[in-house]
Amino acid sequence: GAKVAALDLNEEAVKKLAEELKALIFAVQEENQAAIDQLCTRFKPLILKEAYRPNIFHALGEDAVNIAWTIFLSFTRRYKGKNFKGLPGLIQYHVHFELQHAVEKVGKSWDNELISEELLTIQAYEPLEKITSDLALQEIFKKLTPRQYRIIDLYYGQGHTHQDIAEIFGC
């Protein structure tokens, strides 16, 4: 008897939360700023969890958090489903896989940048690992993406300015 009562109570709580979520989503779709703020507060732990996954954060850096929020808000603004009980799981699934897709896009972008003519015409240089005697820094250099490594090398190793580097990478 006690288990059944607990299950009924949990089911009632789930229904209540689903109704609250439904009202919030509809208000968000009407661009109600208070609802957007409340929804963001509720989902902040989930968004940060997805954005700070090691593979995601390593590839995207701080942009991972902004991308995750953008995915989340875009999804909630266009959600037309009727299942609000399962919506948190659906949101997590959507944010997770869209972040993975963003990582793939960035990887393809880096590959294209690495073979660009501008990078091929830059003079040969001594690798940063040989310049520094700090073993910890050498290990960190090994973990950088090719693009990150190249930017650091251009700035610290070759003395280029931020503007020079932006021009080299076309941004």
Side-chain angles (χ1 to χ4, degrees), residues 114-127:
L114 289 175
I115 59 173
S116 73
E117 294 263 342
E118 292 169 320
L119 289 179
L120 294 174
T121 60
I122 294 173
Q123 297 176 338
Y125 60 93
E126 184 176 6

Side-chain angles (χ1 to χ4, degrees), residues 43 46-47 49-50 53 56 68 71-72 75 78-79 86-101:
F43 281 87
L46 183 145
I47 298 302
K49 173 186 171 189
E50 291 301 325
R53 286 183 185 275
I56 300 293
I71 293 165
F72 168 74
F75 180 81
R78 66 178 194 274
Y79 182 71
L87 187 59
L90 183 59
I91 289 172
Q92 182 173 10
Y93 173 86
H94 190 75
V95 170
H96 178 84
F97 285 102
E98 286 295 321
L99 281 171
Q100 291 287 353
H101 184 65

Side-chain angles (χ1 to χ4, degrees), residues 14-56:
V14 169
K15 278 184 183 179
K16 182 181 178 197
L17 289 173
E19 287 301 316
E20 289 174 10
L21 187 54
K22 180 179 181 179
L24 273 176
I25 294 293
F26 289 155
V28 164
Q29 291 172 351
E30 294 173 1
E31 297 298 324
N32 178 313
Q33 189 59 49
I36 293 169
D37 294 343
Q38 189 177 359
L39 192 67
C40 288
T41 299
R42 282 188 174 190
F43 281 87
K44 184 177 181 179
L46 183 145
I47 298 302
L48 295 180
K49 173 186 171 189
E50 291 301 325
Y52 284 108
R53 286 183 185 275
N55 61 326
I56 300 293

Side-chain angles (χ1 to χ4, degrees), residues 133-141:
S133 60
D134 184 10
L135 293 177
L137 277 177
Q138 290 178 13
E139 288 303 312
I140 290 170
F141 290 147

Side-chain angles (χ1 to χ4, degrees), residues 58-61 110 143-153:
H58 177 73
L60 300 175
W110 288 335
K143 294 179 182 177
L144 295 175
T145 66
R147 181 176 190 231
Q148 292 168 331
Y149 181 90
R150 189 73 179 124
I151 290 169
I152 288 174
D153 176 59

